[in-house]
Amino acid sequence: MPLLGLGTWKSSPGEVKAAVIAAIEQGYRHIDCAAIYGNEKEIGEALKECFDRGLVKREDLFITSKLWASKSHPELVRSACEKTLADLQLSFMDLYLIHWPFFFSQDTTALPPKPEQALGYDPAQYLAVWREMEKLVDAGLTKHIGTSNASAKKLSELLPQARIQPAANQVESHPYLAQQRLKKFFDENRIVLTAYSPLGSPDRPGVADTDPKPLADPVVKTLAERLGATPAQIVLAFQIKRGAVAIPKSTNPDRIKQNYDSLVVGERLSEADMTALLSLDGKGRLIQGKAFVSSRQPTPQDLWDEDWEKENVSL
Ligand code: A2P
């Protein structure tokens, strides 16, 4: 799995096709998608154009997509996967993830849904959906399956029952939320941590001026100046250096290239630099997941099982 991928959350239709082509021209071989991003058809057009131009072959690419919360019902998994494959114009994915461990009712298209449509986490349903994900591998529709936004606690419930183990779990991570305990738990269970919002998602919905900004952090900026890099390259290199996968989103060709070049910057980060970056951990979770708050998980804090993690995963 290439350590750097192009993120496509928040990449608008009308922009994402050019972004994907620019990324592949630049050398990216990993594109992160999801049905809920509403742009998979255009990404499919971009991929087809790249194949038709002979830029890459299908087997050179690593394509991820995700099963949306309102499709996280056992009877809907296969058709949702097939819809994504049709939109992406692919016959298989490399990785298909359950987007959230919290479910919405099937009739929900709104985000956030009405409170009664947010069904929360149910271990039995999570396992039933996982069983269907396993069948997608059997059917050759995806090479690997995984989870997203799953806590160590939820995975500790799923792993002993899984016939096919999750290959990756995608969670928010940047220097202000390094997810060190989660990373340790994943390492012990041979699960790749894919860092979403690795730049702190300055374009995320509901962002406030007062929110923490990892790219503006003095430690990050000082390191960038010393290493002749940009703050974005430092926070991406931070993930790559510790063996996590990063999926920065950009629709700007210069920043797409700049982000790709963080692969080289990673080689310049020393252990002391990594320690300095890890010292920033704890300054903030930026994606609260408020849309998933339900009667089962009544506050955003209830979504992440952080207390369980502290009690059960020692650093
Ligand atoms: P743009 O698409 O105009 O480049 P994340 O991946 O954490 O969700 O962050 C995505 C946001 O960060 C987008 O607003 C994107 O804007 C911006 N961005 C992407 N690359 C860089 C970069 N190298 N430097 C600064 N901002 C960047």
Side-chain angles (χ1 to χ4, degrees), residues 9-10 197-203 215 232 247-252 255 258-259:
W9 175 43
K10 310 177 255 79
S197 299
L199 306 172
S201 284
D203 56 346
L215 294 186
I247 47 166
K249 171 264 174 184
S250 181
T251 49
N252 173 293
R255 289 192 283 275
Q258 184 193 123
N259 296 343

Side-chain angles (χ1 to χ4, degrees), residues 169-234:
N169 187 18
Q170 191 174 120
V171 293
E172 176 186 339
S173 184
H174 40 72
Y176 285 177
L177 185 70
Q179 304 271 28
Q180 294 183 74
R181 286 177 203 275
L182 210 47
K183 172 88 169 52
K184 184 166 179 230
F185 179 87
F186 293 174
D187 288 348
E188 285 166 2
N189 288 286
R190 302 169 55 82
I191 298 171
V192 171
L193 187 157
T194 303
Y196 75 66
S197 299
L199 306 172
S201 284
D203 56 346
R204 68 189 182 280
V207 63
D209 283 349
T210 48
D211 285 349
K213 295 181 186 62
L215 294 186
D217 188 275
V219 170
V220 173
K221 285 167 82 173
T222 304
L223 268 176
E225 277 163 34
R226 207 192 78 223
L227 296 176
T230 66
Q233 288 175 326
I234 295 297

Side-chain angles (χ1 to χ4, degrees), residues 111-138:
L111 188 64
K114 293 183 197 140
E116 65 274 19
Q117 293 172 318
L119 306 179
Y121 169 65
D122 171 355
Q125 185 167 351
Y126 203 37
L127 179 60
V129 169
W130 188 257
R131 289 276 175 260
E132 297 303 314
M133 297 287 282
E134 293 174 328
K135 289 182 196 164
L136 300 177
V137 178
D138 298 338

Side-chain angles (χ1 to χ4, degrees), residues 232-243:
Q233 288 175 326
I234 295 297
V235 300
L236 296 175
F238 163 71
Q239 299 293 354
I240 291 161
K241 177 92 179 173
R242 68 187 189 133

